[in-house]
Amino acid sequence: MLLGFVVFPAILFLTSIYYYQSSPTGLRWSTAWVPSLDINLSLQLDALSFVFVGLISCIGFFVQLYALAYMKGKAERFSFHLYLTLFMLSMLGLVLSDNIILLFVFWELTTITSYLLIGFNHENEKSRKNALQSLVVTVAGGLALLAGLILLGQITGSYDLSTIIDKAVSTKDSVTQHPYFVPSLVLILLGAFTKSAQFPFHFWLPGAMAAPTPVSAFLHSATMVKAGIYLLARLSPVYASSDIWFYCLITVGGFTALWSAIIALMQKDLKLMLAFSTNTILGILTLLLGIGTETALAAAILFILAHAFYKASLFMVVGNIDKATGTRDIRVLYGLKAVLIFSFASGLIAALSKAGIPPLLGFLSKEYTYKAGLEVHGIVMFALVMINAIMVALAIAVISQPFLREKVEDNPTVKSIEAEIGFWIPPLVLACCSVIVPTLGLGWLNEYILSTVIFEINQVEQSSPVKLWQGINLPLIMSGVTLALGLLIYKNMSSVTLILNKLLGPLPVASDVFEKCMTFMLSVATWQTNRLQHRRLSLYALLFFSVLATILLLNPIKVSGDVLERIRTIQLYEIAIAVLLMVAALLCVISASRLLSIAGLGAIGFLMTLVFMIYSAPDVAKTLLLVETLMVVFVALLISHLPHFSTVKQHSIARRSFHGFIAVVIGLSITALLLTITKGPLDSPLADFFAQNSVPGGHGRNIVNVILVDFRAFDTLGEAIVVVVAAIAAISLFQTHSQQQNRIQSLIFCTTAHIVAVLMMVFSLYLLLRGHNSPGGGFIGALIAVIGLTLLIFAESPQYVRERMSYRPMNIAMFGVFLSLLAGGIGFVMGAPFLTGMWWKQVLPLGTPLIFDVGIYLAVIGGVLEVLLRVNEELD
């Protein structure tokens, strides 16, 4: 099973290569999702998405292979590989999405799955804290992104990315001058900056180091943090012409890169050094996308590839060091070259690429980064040289200190771990990719990737291919200066670190500022909750109805003068029912007896059932009658546990008068509203539609049932799920499972209960099967079945019913939900929208609506019966 997690990304990688090679211009697949909102399930594999798909699946394969060795012996290793696979699939969905709403869905899935991975060691408080920190920051940015994407869809009139980009390119002026253009730009930048850890949101990424090393290797090299970079690249054709875009990306990216490089230099933990250097690379990538020239975009793609290879390898090497020594503190590590031979070789190649040594991919990306910097300004060039010099110093430190330093005091004991090939093959292969790609694969990269990606982002053809050697030029000279400066920084690292600590020590730490902000927000929320959520239902109801009454008084409903004429047409039995309803309601209010008040409440329900029967709504009347009957059952169980009215504190006369005033205002207003609505003929095009299409479209004469299981089946499915979820929530509140007898001591009742229960079960099946053409259906049948089983509960015991059902009621409920979903899926598989009714009249009078109704029948029986049984057992 675990090997399946390893093989899966390899299959995805090979599949992506096959389909991309067969169509280098890109492949697109789309199907309707929410047609009314122009939201489609659209996927596209073009050059830009292929770069990320290749990295995600390729590095995902090696990370899963490495995790097999790293997590060996851990009880939760299956869950870890599962989370890692879900994380990979979420990221793949993000880069393949050609619909911005679908992209956002996968965007949030990467947030959720990364939260699970960062907090995987949940017994550790730091892991939980850092996982929550990353979740809050990225979810907040995701909300901003959602708003920005919706505005972008409104600007272009479409939510498909390809259509948005085409319109932005062909009608640039109308898009850039739209009033939503700048707000959408700012919101999308917020989403991208939080995801890719740009300043001031940079602090969450180093905190993610609480995750196991395979997660860090994947997170930093090919997945979540690159999502923001991908989004910026993908939307560059829309926003690149804006000065706001240019200056924001240049400024934020440049500052993030420089600041993170300085912070990385001050770290003593190897993982933190690599983590802050990832912030640095993300800043450089943001800066390059802001520049947006052909050279800058080529540098960005090369940097994405180079960083993915060497960073994944270096994280795995650091993980090996941690496994072998039990520490990542660079100050106490020494002489590991003799023990971790393959790790040293892998780390050395990766560090050389990180430092920009030819002919590695890191050198090539740095050369083109310098070329892009020269196209902008001298300040940008100076910043890039300083940033890369620090990267050189860090690359030397990561390898030199643990592997090449002579023995010092207080060193940890080193374990040999490389007998397990999973520890060294993945980092070594990934490190070697930094050599193979620029030396053997540059031609393919130029032909199939770079030229197409540059055109997709900048809409400009690549003028010249990328070359590994371009002669002695200014970028090459600047590379030499960078190496010399980096070596100088490394030689004086302790002095430089000391100076930086003195200069930056007084400044606030970003993660501490975040924690203080969260603490302040929680204190405000607590204060607000204590003021608004006072835990008194009567005050909640009073506030709601007071606001409603105020609105009704400010906008009174006027009734025309023919009211008396219409009152004269009311029948005597209608007046009698109305009077009885008022008497029952008044009885509930003034009664001092619990039983009498409950009887009045039940009378209201049964009288309303009579009203529905009179006005030709038999299905609704049956449902209400059965619900009221079940309510009587619940009250019978709970009445002895309800407080006596004499023990409840009475409101003052003024309070009760105020309550009465609000009730009168709302009652008169609703009466006036009903009189106004019923004054003229009702507009019934919807009712006419269902009446005309019930038989030809739904193959049923009971219009109500056809609506429930065919036309509006999705609503019914949601209601059934709500019943099951409510049942789960209710039974979770109970503590015990009493097995005592709770029978009614009556021989006549016990004898007749068995007979009546069987008859009611048969009758419930009859109503279920006939519901499509006559009053009945799954919901009504289920309620009758529950009432029949309730008689057995009272006649015998809950345990008696459980033993004879063979299956737990909650399992029956879950199977019912599954059956309803299956009924909807049949239509989907046959090419129709989900929950479309499919019929086989030629063979049998059978269709998916009946299967769906059976599912509802079982879901309601299981959910309601489980609650009844547990309440009975709890209160026995």
Side-chain angles (χ1 to χ4, degrees):
M1 179 62 76
L2 293 179
L3 287 176
F5 289 119
V6 178
V7 174
F8 181 62
I11 294 172
L12 289 177
F13 177 64
L14 295 174
T15 304
S16 67
I17 291 178
Y18 172 79
Y19 280 107
Y20 182 71
Q21 289 281 57
S22 65
S23 179
T25 56
L27 291 172
R28 188 173 188 273
W29 174 86
S30 180
T31 187
W33 185 15
V34 188
S36 59
L37 298 178
D38 190 31
I39 299 175
N40 303 315
L41 290 173
S42 303
L43 301 176
Q44 180 168 343
L45 180 66
D46 57 8
L48 181 59
S49 59
F50 175 73
V51 170
F52 285 90
V53 168
L55 284 178
I56 295 163
S57 55
C58 177
I59 294 180
F61 166 74
F62 289 107
V63 168
Q64 291 276 23
L65 184 62
Y66 177 75
L68 277 180
Y70 190 88
M71 299 297 291
K72 191 173 183 179
K74 299 290 182 66
E76 307 86 358
R77 61 189 308 206
F78 179 85
S79 298
F80 180 81
H81 284 278
L82 177 62
Y83 294 161
L84 207 58
T85 302
L86 292 175
F87 185 40
M88 179 186 68
L89 291 174
S90 301
M91 191 66 194
L92 286 172
L94 189 155
V95 299
L96 287 172
S97 296
D98 193 44
N99 184 281
I100 54 178
I101 304 300
L102 184 63
L103 182 148
F104 172 76
V105 171
F106 284 112
W107 183 281
E108 292 301 281
L109 284 175
T110 62
T111 297
I112 295 169
T113 49
S114 67
Y115 169 75
L116 294 173
L117 288 167
I118 295 170
F120 187 77
N121 298 320
H122 50 81
E123 69 282 353
N124 188 324
E125 183 182 356
K126 184 179 179 182
S127 295
R128 298 196 302 271
K129 175 184 173 184
N130 290 353
L132 182 62
Q133 186 182 83
S134 69
L135 181 71
V136 171
V137 173
T138 52
V139 164
L143 291 174
L145 175 66
L146 177 60
L149 292 176
I150 291 173
L151 291 179
L152 180 59
Q154 294 297 311
I155 293 171
T156 57
S158 175
Y159 289 109
D160 283 344
L161 262 172
S162 52
T163 305
I164 290 170
I165 293 171
D166 289 343
K167 288 188 177 180
V169 173
S170 60
T171 58
K172 182 180 293 185
D173 291 339
S174 63
V175 171
T176 55
Q177 293 173 9
H178 196 282
Y180 291 164
F181 181 78
V182 174
S184 69
L185 185 154
V186 173
L187 291 167
I188 287 172
L189 284 183
L190 280 173
F193 286 170
T194 53
K195 201 74 161 184
S196 287
Q198 299 298 293
F199 186 89
F201 311 108
H202 62 291
F203 58 90
W204 75 262
L205 184 55
M209 292 304 94
T213 297
V215 177
S216 302
F218 203 24
L219 183 76
H220 284 254
S221 61
T223 50
M224 184 173 170
V225 294
K226 296 287 177 64
I229 301 301
Y230 168 79
L231 185 68
L232 295 175
R234 180 60 81 187
L235 294 180
S236 283
V238 180
Y239 295 111
S241 59
S242 169
D243 289 341
I244 299 174
W245 179 270
F246 174 79
Y247 287 111
C248 277
L249 265 60
I250 291 287
T251 305
V252 174
F255 184 80
T256 300
L258 184 59
W259 179 256
S260 299
I262 292 171
I263 301 300
L265 201 60
M266 300 166 60
Q267 303 304 312
K268 304 304 178 187
D269 186 310
L270 285 170
K271 279 184 77 173
L272 285 177
M273 292 173 71
L274 294 179
F276 278 105
S277 68
T278 299
N279 283 108
T280 300
I281 302 305
L282 294 172
I284 293 175
L285 289 172
T286 302
L287 184 148
L288 290 172
L289 291 172
I291 295 173
T293 61
E294 175 194 328
T295 306
L297 295 178
I301 300 302
L302 291 171
F303 228 134
I304 288 170
L305 295 173
H307 175 254
F309 292 136
Y310 75 67
K311 187 54 65 70
S313 180
L314 284 174
F315 264 112
M316 292 178 188
V317 170
V318 170
N320 292 348
I321 293 172
D322 192 10
K323 278 282 186 181
T325 64
T327 182
R328 300 190 302 263
D329 193 332
I330 197 171
R331 295 168 296 184
V332 299
L333 292 167
Y334 73 94
L336 299 178
K337 180 179 67 171
V339 181
L340 302 177
I341 301 171
F342 293 109
S343 297
F344 171 65
S346 307
L348 180 61
I349 298 171
L352 291 174
S353 181
K354 180 182 176 70
I357 303 297
L360 282 82
L361 192 54
F363 164 76
L364 187 60
S365 63
K366 185 176 65 175
E367 291 295 289
Y368 274 83
T369 299
Y370 283 162
K371 287 183 68 175
L374 290 171
E375 294 175 348
V376 185
H377 197 278
I379 296 177
V380 174
M381 190 65 193
F382 175 76
L384 287 173
V385 170
M386 293 302 301
I387 292 165
N388 282 315
I390 297 175
M391 290 295 101
V392 172
L394 290 171
I396 297 172
V398 167
I399 297 302
S400 174
Q401 299 283 71
F403 291 102
L404 303 177
R405 190 169 60 164
E406 296 298 326
K407 182 176 180 179
V408 294
E409 298 296 329
D410 300 323
N411 284 278
T413 303
V414 182
K415 295 181 293 185
S416 178
I417 63 169
E418 290 190 345
E420 182 77 48
I421 62 173
F423 277 115
W424 58 268
I425 284 183
L428 186 59
V429 173
L430 288 172
C432 290
C433 288
S434 297
V435 182
I436 295 170
V437 171
T439 55
L440 301 179
L442 196 56
W444 185 89
L445 201 65
N446 273 313
E447 181 179 356
Y448 288 99
I449 300 296
L450 290 173
S451 58
T452 311
V453 170
I454 290 171
F455 179 77
E456 288 173 1
I457 298 176
N458 203 19
Q459 303 298 306
V460 175
E461 298 287 350
Q462 187 180 18
S463 59
S464 58
V466 171
K467 298 178 181 179
L468 184 59
W469 176 253
Q470 302 176 70
I472 299 175
N473 54 16
L474 187 54
L476 184 63
I477 295 171
M478 298 309 296
S479 291
V481 172
T482 300
L483 292 174
L485 190 57
L487 185 59
L488 181 64
I489 293 172
Y490 171 72
K491 289 291 185 182
N492 300 277
M493 185 174 278
S494 57
S495 301
V496 172
T497 304
L498 187 63
I499 294 170
L500 290 175
N501 280 324
K502 287 183 179 180
L503 291 175
L504 303 179
L507 296 178
V509 179
S511 58
D512 293 342
V513 173
F514 172 82
E515 290 301 325
K516 289 179 180 177
C517 290
M518 290 297 295
T519 302
F520 174 74
M521 288 175 59
L522 288 173
S523 63
V524 172
T526 302
W527 173 84
Q528 184 185 45
T529 302
N530 291 334
R531 295 296 179 276
L532 299 178
Q533 303 293 327
H534 35 68
R535 303 182 184 90
R536 295 183 62 185
L537 182 60
S538 61
L539 291 180
Y540 294 151
L542 178 61
L543 179 62
F544 171 79
F545 287 115
S546 296
V547 172
L548 178 60
T550 303
I551 294 172
L552 292 172
L553 285 173
L554 292 175
N555 300 279
I557 300 171
K558 297 180 180 179
V559 184
S560 58
D562 63 344
V563 176
L564 293 177
E565 292 295 328
R566 295 165 62 193
I567 290 176
R568 290 194 185 98
T569 62
I570 298 176
Q571 300 295 321
L572 179 62
Y573 63 86
E574 294 174 324
I575 297 174
I577 293 173
V579 171
L580 289 173
L581 277 168
M582 289 187 288
V583 170
L586 190 62
L587 182 64
C588 292
V589 175
I590 64 174
S591 175
S593 167
R594 294 176 303 174
L595 188 59
L596 197 57
S597 294
I598 291 170
L601 194 61
I604 294 173
F606 289 120
L607 287 168
M608 287 303 302
T609 300
L610 189 59
V611 170
F612 284 119
M613 286 296 296
I614 291 171
Y615 292 103
S616 303
D619 285 279
V620 180
K622 287 180 180 179
T623 305
L624 182 58
L625 177 65
L626 295 169
V627 169
E628 291 296 332
T629 304
L630 276 175
M631 180 181 169
V632 172
V633 172
F634 275 105
V635 170
L637 289 171
L638 298 172
I639 190 168
S640 62
H641 299 271
L642 296 175
H644 291 277
F645 287 169
S646 59
T647 63
V648 179
K649 184 180 178 181
Q650 296 293 319
H651 292 306
S652 64
I653 296 177
R655 174 78 176 269
R656 282 182 282 175
S657 300
F658 181 62
H659 288 180
F661 172 74
I662 292 174
V664 169
V665 170
I666 294 175
L668 291 176
S669 298
I670 297 300
T671 302
L673 179 63
L674 290 173
L675 289 171
T676 303
I677 291 173
T678 57
K679 177 182 177 182
L682 294 176
D683 188 18
S684 59
L686 193 60
D688 295 337
F689 168 82
F690 287 126
Q692 294 167 7
N693 291 278
S694 177
V695 174
H699 298 275
R701 292 184 296 275
N702 183 359
I703 299 175
V704 173
N705 187 264
V706 172
I707 292 172
L708 292 177
V709 302
D710 198 315
F711 293 115
R712 300 296 298 272
F714 203 84
D715 292 349
T716 307
L717 176 63
E719 291 166 2
I721 293 174
V722 167
V723 170
V724 175
V725 172
I728 294 171
I731 64 177
S732 67
L733 299 175
F734 299 132
Q735 301 286 330
T736 62
H737 291 270
S738 172
Q739 304 300 330
Q740 298 178 30
Q741 298 294 313
N742 187 28
R743 57 188 297 171
I744 297 175
Q745 300 300 323
S746 169
L747 180 61
I748 296 175
F749 176 77
C750 292
T751 303
T752 56
H754 287 77
I755 300 171
V756 173
V758 173
L759 293 175
M760 293 185 76
M761 293 297 296
V762 174
F763 186 57
S764 75
L765 290 172
Y766 168 72
L767 288 177
L768 165 67
L769 297 174
R770 77 169 225 156
H772 207 58
N773 292 289
S774 302
F779 193 84
I780 295 172
L783 293 178
I784 289 178
V786 170
I787 293 171
L789 292 170
T790 304
L791 290 175
L792 291 181
I793 295 175
F794 286 131
E796 298 292 346
S797 69
Q799 185 65 17
Y800 177 87
V801 174
R802 286 190 185 276
E803 289 173 354
R804 279 149 184 79
M805 289 194 67
S806 300
Y807 300 99
R808 287 185 57 196
M810 192 50 64
N811 292 342
I812 295 174
M814 299 304 294
F815 178 74
V817 173
F818 168 76
L819 201 61
S820 297
L821 291 171
L822 178 64
I826 292 173
F828 185 76
V829 170
M830 297 179 70
F834 182 66
L835 283 172
T836 300
M838 309 298 293
W839 291 88
W840 300 277
K841 289 286 187 178
Q842 297 81 359
V843 183
L844 290 171
L846 182 66
T848 56
L850 178 59
I851 301 173
F852 177 83
D853 215 9
V854 172
I856 300 300
Y857 176 81
L858 295 175
V860 174
I861 286 178
V864 178
L865 185 62
E866 182 68 45
V867 175
L868 272 170
L869 289 169
R870 291 298 298 274
V871 168
N872 197 287
E873 291 166 348
E874 183 76 13
L875 301 179
D876 200 349

